[in-house]
Amino acid sequence: MDAKFFKLLLLGGVVRFYFSRTPLAAMIGNRVEFATPLNSHKRMQEGIFLLQSGIDPYQGDLVHETPLILSALSGLFQKYPHLLPAFYIILDVFTAALLYLMSRRFVRQKQEQQTTEQKHYAKDTAELQFSDLDKYDIPELVIVAYLFNPLTVMNCIGMTSTVISNLFLASFLYCLVKGLLLPCLLVLAFETVRSFYPIVLIAPLLLVFSHNSIRRGLVITLLFIASCLGVAYANFLVLNSWNFLDGTLGFIFYFRDLQPNIGLFWYFFTEMFEHFRTMFLITFQLNATVLYLLPLSIKLRKEPLLLATVLVALMTVFRAYPSLGDVGFYLALLPLWKRCWKFMAHGFVVFTFFLVTLSMMGALWHLWIYAGSANANFYFGATLAFSTGQIFLITDLLFAHVKREFCLFKGQKIWIDGVEARIVLK
């Protein structure tokens, strides 16, 4: 860690602090693109107030944060509310620091792996291999992509609990790369009990720690289940009630709040007939969790961190209550795969999708809700296009990784009878 690292952290904190003092912070806290029923700052305030008043926060359908988080933050919310922006800024900056440290360790591991495999590489693949400069460039790109992405900045100043989720996910990735099994299990269990979808990250965890041993994998799986049960029981002790399970995991799975967001659930469940709800509910939840888990785990069994990145991105796209803060997190992981960028063919298309759809969301929301000159189809069209852009990005990254792996060992040029093959249009 050098002086540049600390300067970036300081600058990222200053940017967040500046915008937290502007009217933009209050506006972001009310925007459906950032604040959902799960991560809303207002709902967390309500939950803490009910908890402090001796009322079960989960008797109604307003609070969906876990009792441990509500209890841990109650003192800060009640006694020092003026310090809340600084608290969220510190958490977000710490998340960036963890991503930086994780990426440094990752590049070092890839270079060690490359040293053992290099004798099998083709001769014309130097630009596809990790270089000494990558030890500095990639971590810097990661920390810049997180600290100065407008999505993560606005997510932070809006004080959504996605800031906490990003911290747990960054901690998981750091422990995964460092090879710390127990912290990895505990962090993943805690986040799984909070938001359900991170359960899919058990796959990269098993790839890293099981060492191709089925017995060891079963033991780790049992430890993960025990960790989840332990976290659930700790939440039970706060309220002496299991109501929180229905208010958190049950609320997510059954999708009870149809408030619009950037995801795909709300529009379908608003428009469909009620007797189809169970079928579509199971279909959508399978799509967001286990549908892609096995094939991706098989294909990326040698790249657990890439598998984790793709799974985080997929659960962001397909989860019940996504927010732009979730999107900002996985975008910060893309520089890890800098050596694949040469083969990513849809960069301009994805950038255009993101730019246009993010610009249109605010305008179409205003036309629908305030001006009354549009309807839900307009807003959903923008969010559907945004999700499509994300899918283009994820598939482009996967194809780029496959192409890079092929070219590393087979070469970037194809030779036929000693002559370089060329595609000629006639």
Side-chain angles (χ1 to χ4, degrees), residues 16 26 57-58 72 78 83 87 102 124 180 204 207 233 257 268 275 304 311 326 363 371 377 388:
R16 284 159 171 75
Y58 307 100
Q78 295 286 334
L83 295 179
F87 172 73
M102 177 273 295
D124 59 341
L180 305 173
L207 289 175
Y233 185 68
D257 194 319
F268 284 95
H275 56 274
L311 290 176
D326 300 313
N377 297 321
T388 304

Side-chain angles (χ1 to χ4, degrees), residues 63-87:
V63 181
H64 310 292
E65 187 55 81
T66 56
L68 278 176
I69 295 292
L70 296 179
S71 179
L73 299 182
S74 59
L76 184 62
F77 270 73
Q78 295 286 334
K79 298 178 181 178
Y80 309 102
H82 57 285
L83 295 179
L84 283 172
F87 172 73

Side-chain angles (χ1 to χ4, degrees), residues 95-120:
T95 300
L98 283 174
L99 291 177
Y100 177 86
L101 296 174
M102 177 273 295
S103 57
R104 286 192 63 176
R105 177 78 176 185
F106 167 74
V107 173
R108 194 179 306 121
Q109 290 177 348
K110 295 300 291 183
Q111 288 179 323
E112 292 171 358
Q113 176 188 345
Q114 185 175 279
T115 302
T116 61
E117 296 179 348
Q118 206 162 23
K119 59 184 178 181
H120 302 295

Side-chain angles (χ1 to χ4, degrees), residues 131-146:
S131 65
D132 290 335
L133 287 177
D134 288 334
K135 291 188 294 186
Y136 308 100
D137 292 346
I138 290 179
E140 285 181 7
L141 286 171
V142 168
I143 195 172
V144 168
Y146 187 84

